[in-house]
Amino acid sequence: MRKTFLVCCLFSLSMLWCFYACLQEDSFIGNNKVDRFFNTFGADENVCWIAEQLRQKNDSSEFVSAFVCKYGYPRWEKAHEFPEGENVVYAVPVKSVVPDSEINSIWFFSMGQDSTTYRIYTREMAESITTRVGGDGVEETWMFDYFTINALHKKPESGISFVYSTADTGTRAAYESWECVHAFAGYEGYEADLGWHCWFTGFVYLMDANFDKLDGGSSGSIGGGGNSDSSNSTPTEPQDIKPQDQDPDKEDRSPCGTASKLSSDASLRLKVNSLFNAVQNYRVGDTENGWIKTTTGDYIYPNMKEAEHLGYANTSLSGKMITEQYHSHPAGAPFPSWADLKVLATRYQRGQINAANFSYGVVSSMGCFTMVITSESAFSAFAQSVLDNDVDLRDSYGSMLKTKTNGVDSAVAKFIDFLKTSVSGLDVLFNEASYNSSGNARLGNWQAKDSNGSANISNYNCN
């Protein structure tokens, strides 16, 4: 009797605390709760897109409050990716609003060819499965403990620990990389081996999905299939355009002609100068900005902007080829980050880049740094190495960052040296800031640039 009474009291206290936590969450002013719910800083580009579609649905049918009260806040940046048949699944840990809680909910999104389904998986569900089928329950519950360690940096009550490993395979058309954890539980010297658990971390070709319905429930289907409106389906032509389909006659292009072409493009110069003026007037907290231009002449703008990151909704690019992609580094380096290179490589591998007529730019207070593809076969191999997180390439990029520079010229030159050493198939154009008699900065024309391997810049030989 006492035991039953104690259990009931503890259950009542936990329910009261959950109710109190929900009241506290509801005391948020304005859209603070929504902004926190959809904060995707540092997340994968596809995860950012998923969150943006959910935000749009929340605008028309508010579900965030109920979700937060029942499950908590998604940690989008901690999502893990793995394959499930022909689909790609993202597992997003959800942090409870109850203080000191472990990860007790995981939001799964399965992205298919023309739809995305979702479901919430809770520790309570996992333990119910264990009760029905028996066993130690590790297969059903290990991921909650993994995310508790990985997302919350807490040691789970289960006492489980993980040893990390990686594995590579070439069994699919695309190169695959897997991350695995070897689970153990118990005290040192008396640990039980709980087996290996793996998920996919490498690059796969993803089909764009179209969100169609979200009811805020624990599971559902978003876009395509069922009774969804097929008139809203998203084209997936880019998935059928592979890099090798590009015209081989466009190989080994000189950057000189591109520099002249960009310099005579009035609309490009206007937009680049707008970004340049923004970074010249930088204030702490300013976000990156930029645009993408398609072969049809349309401009697409980011749906998410942070101080050191921006993202685009995949639906806005579906079925479209890109000729320009420019963004700003308000208080950063004048050349692309490693994350920028991964975005560029991903777009190329998805067949979204018109390599023969494409420029990728970074605008900083030093000017406009632009890359063009001059050897597509070399760039294809370089892009694959970037996506594979090739150790030698990452080390080369890291060494380049550590190289001391003396002004903008040597900063640009050391990046050119990195591109040349990596046989990237990319050449650099630079539109350097100049100053008039009043001390006001402006941008002039692009110049094709070269370096001698020791961070000494020079103009490209355009004769």
Side-chain angles (χ1 to χ4, degrees):
M1 176 67 77
R2 285 184 178 179
K3 184 177 181 181
T4 302
F5 178 74
L6 179 60
V7 170
C8 289
C9 286
L10 290 174
F11 177 76
S12 298
L13 286 172
S14 66
M15 291 300 292
L16 283 171
W17 175 250
C18 184
F19 177 71
Y20 173 74
C22 290
L23 286 179
Q24 290 295 99
E25 288 298 321
D26 285 335
S27 68
F28 274 61
I29 299 174
N31 290 325
N32 286 353
K33 182 190 295 185
V34 174
D35 291 340
R36 179 180 173 188
F37 189 92
F38 294 113
N39 180 12
T40 54
F41 179 73
D44 176 274
E45 183 180 9
N46 287 300
V47 174
C48 293
W49 178 78
I50 288 173
E52 178 60 25
Q53 304 311 302
L54 292 174
R55 180 192 281 271
Q56 293 177 19
K57 293 303 179 183
N58 186 67
D59 290 342
S60 59
S61 180
E62 205 277 336
F63 68 89
V64 165
S65 294
F67 187 101
V68 169
C69 187
K70 187 171 184 179
Y71 303 111
Y73 287 97
R75 292 293 300 272
W76 303 104
E77 81 284 3
K78 297 296 183 180
H80 274 295
E81 169 192 347
F82 55 90
E84 187 177 79
E86 296 299 318
N87 291 2
V88 174
V89 176
Y90 289 95
V92 181
V94 180
K95 181 181 180 181
S96 173
V97 297
V98 179
D100 298 323
S101 291
E102 298 184 13
I103 293 295
N104 293 313
S105 303
I106 302 174
W107 206 354
F108 289 91
F109 295 88
S110 181
M111 300 183 70
Q113 179 174 347
D114 50 19
S115 68
T116 293
T117 58
Y118 64 91
R119 64 186 176 93
I120 282 286
Y121 185 49
T122 67
R123 194 184 291 268
E124 183 179 14
M125 295 176 188
E127 291 171 349
S128 176
I129 294 172
T130 301
T131 300
R132 292 199 306 269
V133 303
D136 58 15
V138 174
E139 190 60 40
E140 290 77 26
T141 62
W142 74 269
M143 190 172 277
F144 297 103
D145 294 327
Y146 172 80
F147 277 127
T148 294
I149 296 171
N150 181 262
L152 303 183
H153 307 293
K154 292 174 51 122
K155 186 172 181 61
E157 291 184 3
S158 66
I160 199 169
S161 60
F162 300 100
V163 176
Y164 299 86
S165 181
T166 58
D168 299 324
T169 176
T171 56
R172 291 166 62 108
Y175 178 86
E176 295 184 351
S177 177
W178 294 77
E179 183 173 344
C180 302
V181 290
H182 199 175
F184 299 89
Y187 299 100
E188 186 174 357
Y190 299 93
E191 294 177 329
D193 188 335
L194 303 182
W196 285 96
H197 306 277
C198 304
W199 58 88
F200 179 72
T201 59
F203 179 82
V204 293
Y205 294 105
L206 296 180
M207 305 294 273
D208 286 318
N210 178 41
F211 279 75
D212 180 67
K213 180 180 179 182
L214 179 68
D215 58 11
S218 61
S219 64
S221 177
I222 308 170
N227 297 320
S228 63
D229 183 359
S230 61
S231 65
N232 291 328
S233 61
T234 304
T236 56
E237 287 85 352
Q239 305 305 137
D240 300 322
I241 306 172
K242 299 295 187 290
Q244 58 267 30
D245 294 334
Q246 306 291 343
D247 186 353
D249 293 335
K250 299 297 183 180
E251 286 288 334
D252 300 321
R253 294 174 285 270
S254 168
C256 301
T258 306
S260 177
K261 180 180 178 181
L262 298 187
S263 297
S264 61
D265 187 333
S267 61
L268 175 62
R269 293 184 67 145
L270 182 64
K271 296 180 77 65
V272 165
N273 271 282
S274 178
L275 286 186
F276 178 69
N277 290 333
V279 297
Q280 284 295 306
N281 297 295
Y282 170 75
R283 294 172 298 178
V284 175
D286 283 356
T287 65
E288 291 188 358
N289 204 351
W291 74 87
I292 288 175
K293 185 180 180 181
T294 70
T295 52
T296 58
D298 297 320
Y299 287 98
I300 299 171
Y301 297 95
N303 65 328
M304 179 188 66
K305 294 185 288 187
E306 302 283 355
E308 297 180 359
H309 179 73
L310 55 74
Y312 294 83
N314 281 0
T315 48
S316 65
L317 292 169
S318 182
K320 298 172 183 176
M321 296 285 286
I322 300 170
T323 61
E324 290 176 10
Q325 181 164 351
Y326 285 73
H327 73 283
S328 62
H329 282 180
F335 46 72
S337 66
W338 181 258
D340 292 337
L341 293 179
K342 291 193 76 170
V343 169
L344 174 61
T346 299
R347 298 230 187 279
Y348 177 76
Q349 289 284 24
R350 290 181 182 174
Q352 293 179 301
I353 288 177
N354 180 10
N357 184 30
F358 175 78
S359 63
Y360 183 96
V362 173
V363 178
S364 70
S365 60
M366 302 178 191
C368 180
F369 179 103
T370 301
M371 297 189 303
V372 294
I373 300 171
T374 50
S375 175
E376 192 165 352
S377 59
F379 178 69
S380 179
F382 175 77
Q384 189 64 61
S385 294
V386 169
L387 293 172
D388 291 342
N389 276 314
D390 180 86
V391 174
D392 292 336
L393 188 61
R394 283 296 301 265
D395 287 347
S396 179
Y397 184 89
S399 297
M400 180 273 298
L401 289 181
K402 294 177 183 178
T403 303
K404 293 183 178 180
T405 57
N406 182 23
V408 60
D409 284 349
S410 58
V412 172
K414 72 175 185 179
F415 195 91
I416 295 174
D417 288 338
F418 161 72
L419 293 178
K420 292 171 72 173
T421 302
S422 305
V423 192
S424 66
L426 293 164
D427 272 282
V428 170
L429 318 176
F430 194 64
N431 191 336
E432 187 174 356
S434 60
Y435 299 84
N436 60 23
S437 57
S438 301
N440 297 320
R442 66 180 183 85
L443 294 178
N445 293 327
W446 276 269
Q447 297 287 334
K449 296 294 184 178
D450 201 357
S451 179
N452 66 353
S454 299
N456 291 319
I457 202 166
S458 62
N459 287 334
Y460 196 94
N461 184 7
C462 291
N463 296 326

